[in-house]
Amino acid sequence: SQQGEEDPQALSIQEGENATMNCSYKTSINNLQWYRQNSGRGLVHLILIRSNEREKHSGRLRVTLDTSKKSSSLLITASRAADTASYFCAPSSGSRLTFGEGTQLTVNP
Amino acid sequence: GAVVSQHPSWVICKSGTSVKIECRSLDFQATTMFWYRQFPKQSLMLMATSNEGSKATYEQGVEKDKFLINHASLTLSTLTVTSAHPEDSSFYICSALTGDRGKVYYEQFFGPGTRLTVL
């Protein structure tokens, strides 16, 4: 299965701290995507990293990908209360995405 | 750009009735759309892949006669929950692919979701 598994399941930090979430998967991929979901809302695409890339940045987000370990990490720097949400990774070899249980991030003001 | 809308955002219906949910790509053409359902505090479960002009591909365990999908145009896919029952109550989310089929890498853009409650 291409389903990603996020770790930890839940993370609670103070505003201003960095948050790191990890994702592991089992099959070969072409790319891996990270999404955010606020409670009761749709998913927001955060970043896509291709299998031939090792690191990618977007604003306060930094994503790494290690295809040899079949793992990825999402780092949110200088977190804000508005970053409170569930975060999902979606490894993919085509167009289908399958999601794990996600990491519930809570950023306390 | 790449905005996906869903309508309605929420719906309450009686058991036994049918409910139609629309998914539209507002500023791009989407040859492929996906339908997911999500139970509270759980992940998204892919239900089916909707391709414009052809039959939808359903995931294992999803009843195609129960969840009718129509992708009649490049900007619209509909999901009809037929003879709805309380266990169909869930959050239904669609997504649309950007890019053409020749691209290797895809980005999916998600709609805001539809909350279905069946009484």
Side-chain angles (χ1 to χ4, degrees):
Chain A
S1 168
Q2 285 183 333
Q3 180 174 326
E5 294 183 10
E6 295 87 353
D7 174 68
Q9 287 187 327
L11 180 62
S12 182
I13 60 174
Q14 294 301 121
E15 209 165 24
E17 294 180 340
N18 296 340
T20 299
M21 287 159 272
N22 301 299
C23 170
S24 59
Y25 58 94
K26 294 181 179 177
T27 61
S28 297
I29 61 171
N30 286 332
N31 68 83
L32 186 143
Q33 303 178 40
W34 283 91
Y35 289 84
R36 183 187 76 222
Q37 184 182 31
N38 290 86
S39 181
R41 308 292 292 272
L43 272 69
V44 174
H45 183 269
L46 294 177
I47 198 164
L48 180 152
I49 186 165
R50 296 168 179 155
S51 59
N52 60 354
E53 297 176 313
R54 291 296 168 259
E55 189 171 308
K56 201 162 183 179
H57 297 253
S58 176
R60 294 184 295 113
L61 305 180
R62 182 173 78 99
V63 167
T64 63
L65 179 63
D66 188 334
T67 53
S68 66
K69 296 181 179 178
K70 291 186 167 59
S71 67
S72 174
S73 68
L74 170 67
L75 169 68
I76 303 175
T77 60
S79 64
R80 305 167 182 168
D83 295 328
T84 295
S86 292
Y87 291 82
F88 298 91
C89 71
S92 175
S93 63
S95 58
R96 283 174 83 251
L97 298 179
T98 51
F99 296 89
E101 298 296 318
T103 293
Q104 173 60 52
L105 173 66
T106 302
V107 181
N108 301 299
Chain B
V3 177
V4 176
S5 70
Q6 276 183 248
H7 178 80
S9 55
W10 60 269
V11 57
I12 300 173
C13 69
K14 293 182 178 179
S15 189
T17 60
S18 294
V19 174
K20 180 186 284 187
I21 303 170
E22 293 185 348
C23 177
R24 293 181 186 273
S25 56
L26 297 185
D27 49 3
F28 66 99
Q29 293 184 333
T31 54
T32 303
M33 292 182 172
F34 299 90
W35 287 96
Y36 299 83
R37 67 186 296 181
Q38 184 180 35
F39 292 106
K41 298 190 185 301
Q42 293 188 24
S43 185
L44 278 73
M45 184 192 79
L46 178 64
M47 298 175 66
T49 302
S50 170
N51 294 298
E52 186 269 335
S54 64
K55 290 183 178 180
T57 303
Y58 290 82
E59 295 298 303
Q60 192 172 10
V62 178
E63 300 175 57
K64 58 182 66 177
D65 295 330
K66 171 81 173 169
F67 299 99
L68 300 178
I69 291 173
N70 184 278
H71 194 156
S73 77
L74 287 171
T75 60
L76 173 65
S77 176
T78 60
L79 168 68
T80 301
V81 183
T82 62
S83 187
H85 291 282
E87 57 264 31
D88 298 324
S89 298
S90 188
F91 192 54
Y92 292 87
I93 306 175
C94 71
S95 69
L97 275 180
T98 61
D100 56 23
R101 291 195 178 97
K103 277 184 69 173
V104 175
Y105 305 112
Y106 300 86
E107 288 186 23
Q108 287 192 28
F109 292 88
F110 285 77
T114 296
R115 174 79 55 195
L116 170 63
T117 301
V118 184
L119 302 177

